[in-house]
Amino acid sequence: MSINCIRTLLEDAALTHSDKTSVVFGDKSVTYGELFSRVNQVAFYLEELGLPKDSRIGIYSNKGIEQVVSVLAILSTNHILVPLTKLLKPEQVEYIINDCDIKCIITDKLKLESIEEINFDGHIISYETTSKDIASFDEIYKYYNKPYICDINGHNNAVITYSFGLSGTPKGIVISHRNLIDSARVVSQYLHLEENDIISGLLIFNLDYGLNQIFCTLYKKARLALHRFILPEDFFNHLINDGVTVLPVMPVNLSQMFDEDVRRIPSADLFDSVKTITSSGGNVTEKMIGDCKKHFQKASFYSMHGLTEAFRSTYLDPSQVEIRPDSIGRPIPDVELYVINADGNECAVREVGELIHRGGYIYRGFWNAPEQNAERFKSVQILKDVINLEGQLTDEIVVASGDYVYKDEEGYLYFVSRQDDMIKTRGFRVSPYEVESVVAINIPQIDQCAVFGIDNELIEQEIVMVYSAAGQISENEIVFELKKHLASYMIPSRIVFKKSLPLIQSDKSQINKSELKRTLSDN
């Protein structure tokens, strides 16, 4: 067994901390010993399916202890985990299933109907017993009690996570077992996590930031307290009742929790257990930082910046958060970051250039996407005018992030823009092309359509859709149709009708989105 895989953490925790509570969700909980037993039973069943090595297995369900079991069970086999966020619509799930050829899906009773809607012909496993034709965890726990032994190679592929790429369709990024355990090690180090920590499982487990909470919990043999954010009041109760000490959030979560009437927020002394807050997936504002300081008075706030192609690049130390709240910080341990201009030279102080990530935590690449891989994963030779490459014996890979940043006089980095026109909202990346394609296919009365993002402090960017048609269409009618095909976070919050849309002078087939943005901003 490789030491560089999550499975080794689980085995060690079960051996040394068998009776300690590992995961809680409301009034339900499991010890490390119970978690290990359940994971083994599900992993044993997955192996019994006889799927080829490296088969992709999806998890499409609501949050719960069994979802954590599913994640760890798949990572205890020679198969590959594909998390499918519950926010995805059936047709989006179907795209991912076809793109990476998912052979098995683990789900719950609520999402089973969506899977049946797309006529998935692979294996289906449900947490609850639903019918005699579908295997369930209830049955697996009852009948699969044989010893389970596995041998995981740390260099093998472990996870494929999907986000929206330049082409407008989801692109899967491939993550190795070594990547997963390295990310747990480095985060545990710079956040100073401890065995007695209780880590909030607020984030969904569709991307690496959310999954990392499971792995950090195992790494430190801590406790993971799951929570589904529905109402701020419930969230505050989660922090108090579960005794949360480490709170990983996205900026949109901070907006949600502090948008409530301040009189309904519990007294600050009830949150004294919270010692660490981490934020990634978007820019934090001074208001967010101020709200955290006011209500979580004993907590250190870490702002972090990650890449699709690498686990994480920077973090801003809590001592600097109020001094330079707009900064994304400095490199995390084992990472070198460079800002280079179009000529390949290192940018001067406050000169904007592309962020190049060198060193640890670089992922394997995009699944079946050679163009995207060529664009993002580069030879270290692109740094030949910046660093000394004398004696380099192999061609090292670095990430050309597509993030444009600048560095201040003290070496702190500041994000400026993306190379592409991706919209970042509520912690998600949304491709305008994805939304525009749905409009073109499903709302034929619309002649032209342009989708883009406009800055919104609360959610980073709001999605705006401008369209032309023979006559104005009811906004409710447009939203109703879009909701059939798109996840909720992809629905435009602002829909504008115009008789005609401006075109780019040099290319009359392209809508001039910059002009539309200026027009709407002026209004």
Side-chain angles (χ1 to χ4, degrees):
M1 173 76 75
S2 170
I3 62 171
N4 293 313
C5 62
I6 297 301
R7 174 71 188 191
T8 60
L9 301 183
L10 179 60
E11 290 185 356
D12 186 43
L15 181 65
T16 62
H17 291 65
S18 179
D19 295 329
K20 180 179 179 179
T21 299
S22 59
V23 186
V24 298
F25 183 43
D27 59 356
K28 298 178 180 179
S29 66
V30 290
T31 65
Y32 274 104
E34 291 167 335
L35 178 65
F36 185 59
S37 176
R38 293 188 190 184
V39 167
N40 284 347
Q41 288 173 295
V42 175
F44 191 98
Y45 180 81
L46 292 174
E47 294 285 21
E48 288 280 287
L49 294 178
L51 300 173
K53 183 179 180 295
D54 293 327
S55 290
R56 274 68 68 192
I57 300 178
I59 300 177
Y60 185 42
S61 71
N62 288 281
K63 187 175 292 180
I65 291 174
E66 305 314 324
Q67 190 181 47
V68 177
V69 170
S70 302
V71 168
L72 297 176
I74 298 171
L75 295 179
S76 297
T77 70
N78 285 315
H79 302 312
I80 299 172
L81 163 67
V82 184
L84 302 165
T85 170
K86 67 175 186 177
L87 299 175
L88 294 177
K89 299 298 183 182
E91 63 191 66
Q92 294 174 307
V93 173
E94 185 173 22
Y95 169 83
I96 295 173
I97 288 171
N98 293 332
D99 186 64
C100 67
D101 190 22
I102 289 177
K103 299 293 187 184
C104 175
I105 291 181
I106 301 174
T107 188
D108 56 28
K109 190 181 295 184
L110 292 175
K111 286 299 180 183
L112 187 57
E113 188 175 316
S114 297
I115 295 171
E116 291 172 343
E117 187 178 321
I118 61 177
N119 297 317
F120 174 63
D121 60 0
H123 297 277
I124 298 176
I125 307 171
S126 174
Y127 300 150
E128 311 93 344
T129 300
T130 57
S131 72
K132 63 179 182 180
D133 298 323
I134 296 177
S136 71
F137 277 28
D138 294 336
E139 296 167 313
I140 292 170
Y141 293 154
K142 185 176 180 180
Y143 297 112
Y144 282 79
N145 295 302
K146 298 177 182 179
Y148 178 74
I149 300 173
C150 60
D151 185 13
I152 306 300
N153 186 323
H155 294 288
N156 284 350
N157 296 335
V159 182
I160 304 176
T161 64
Y162 276 79
S163 57
F164 292 88
L166 299 179
S167 66
T169 53
K171 294 299 176 188
I173 192 75
V174 181
I175 305 171
S176 72
H177 286 275
R178 175 65 184 262
N179 289 143
L180 298 180
I181 200 164
D182 280 350
S183 64
R185 287 169 179 157
V186 72
V187 170
S188 297
Q189 175 189 342
Y190 73 72
L191 293 185
H192 310 290
L193 299 183
E194 300 173 350
E195 184 179 312
N196 62 358
D197 275 323
I198 300 172
I199 300 174
S200 172
L202 165 70
L203 302 173
I204 55 178
F205 302 137
N206 65 314
L207 295 175
D208 51 9
Y209 183 29
L211 287 168
N212 184 250
Q213 311 317 316
I214 301 175
F215 309 144
C216 284
T217 300
L218 287 172
Y219 188 76
K220 299 304 295 188
K221 302 178 183 66
R223 178 185 300 180
L224 180 67
L226 301 177
H227 179 71
R228 299 176 191 166
F229 196 115
I230 300 175
L231 296 172
E233 291 177 27
D234 295 332
F235 169 72
F236 292 132
N237 287 336
H238 154 64
L239 297 183
I240 297 167
N241 296 337
D242 289 325
V244 168
T245 64
V246 180
L247 175 58
V249 296
M250 295 189 296
V252 65
N253 302 133
L254 296 175
S255 297
Q256 290 171 328
M257 69 177 75
F258 295 124
D259 274 353
E260 280 286 287
D261 184 341
V262 293
R263 293 170 297 182
R264 302 180 69 178
I265 300 176
S267 173
D269 58 8
L270 295 175
F271 301 129
D272 280 352
S273 66
V274 180
K275 69 169 191 177
T276 303
I277 300 173
T278 70
S279 177
S280 186
N283 296 330
V284 295
T285 65
E286 290 188 52
K287 179 182 183 303
M288 292 173 187
I289 294 169
D291 284 335
C292 286
K293 184 179 179 182
K294 177 180 177 181
H295 297 287
F296 304 110
Q297 297 178 354
K298 296 188 176 182
S300 299
F301 190 100
Y302 290 79
S303 178
M304 306 182 298
H305 182 74
L307 306 176
T308 300
E309 302 84 4
F311 171 67
R312 189 157 296 149
S313 288
T314 68
Y315 79 96
L316 185 63
D317 188 87
S319 64
Q320 299 295 315
V321 166
E322 291 186 83
I323 297 172
R324 52 188 102 239
D326 296 333
S327 173
I328 60 174
R330 285 174 162 168
I332 68 172
D334 296 330
V335 167
E336 296 175 12
L337 297 178
Y338 300 92
V339 184
I340 63 172
N341 58 28
D343 296 325
N345 297 316
E346 188 164 17
C347 291
V349 169
R350 298 192 179 274
E351 178 188 358
V352 175
E354 185 175 12
L355 179 73
I356 307 298
H357 176 117
R358 183 191 188 201
Y361 322 113
I362 293 176
Y363 291 151
R364 289 292 180 83
F366 291 100
W367 181 264
N368 285 340
E371 292 182 6
Q372 281 76 14
N373 286 329
E375 183 175 12
R376 293 286 176 242
F377 296 91
K378 301 287 189 179
S379 162
V380 73
Q381 292 298 320
I382 67 171
L383 295 173
K384 62 182 174 60
D385 295 326
V386 179
I387 61 177
N388 182 5
L389 295 179
E390 183 180 0
Q392 294 289 328
L393 301 181
T394 59
D395 200 4
E396 179 186 346
I397 297 297
V398 299
V399 173
S401 68
D403 286 347
Y404 279 77
V405 303
Y406 68 86
K407 189 181 292 187
D408 69 14
E409 291 78 2
E410 297 179 64
Y412 287 91
L413 293 156
Y414 296 78
F415 178 82
V416 177
S417 66
R418 283 287 297 170
Q419 185 180 45
D420 50 69
D421 66 347
M422 296 289 288
I423 302 168
K424 202 168 186 181
T425 181
R426 304 178 189 276
F428 295 94
R429 291 192 187 279
V430 176
S431 166
Y433 179 84
E434 178 80 352
V435 183
E436 291 165 355
S437 297
V438 169
V439 171
I441 294 170
N442 298 284
I443 313 179
Q445 58 267 48
I446 289 180
D447 297 324
Q448 289 182 304
C449 171
V451 174
F452 48 86
I454 289 183
D455 290 347
N456 181 315
E457 186 175 270
L458 295 179
I459 58 174
E460 193 157 13
Q461 287 184 303
E462 65 175 317
I463 302 174
V464 178
M465 170 183 152
V466 184
Y467 72 96
S468 65
Q472 188 167 359
I473 306 167
S474 164
E475 183 172 325
N476 288 339
E477 181 181 342
I478 294 173
V479 170
F480 178 81
E481 188 61 37
L482 293 180
K483 283 184 175 180
K484 294 180 184 177
H485 309 282
L486 297 172
S488 58
Y489 62 83
M490 300 175 70
I491 305 299
S493 59
R494 192 171 169 191
I495 298 176
V496 179
F497 166 72
K498 288 184 174 293
K499 291 184 178 178
S500 61
L501 302 186
L503 302 177
I504 294 175
Q505 291 300 315
S506 59
D507 185 354
K508 293 295 185 179
S509 66
Q510 296 291 318
I511 297 170
N512 192 331
K513 292 186 179 182
S514 296
E515 184 177 333
L516 285 174
K517 287 183 182 181
R518 284 194 299 270
T519 302
L520 293 177
S521 298
D522 292 341
N523 293 338

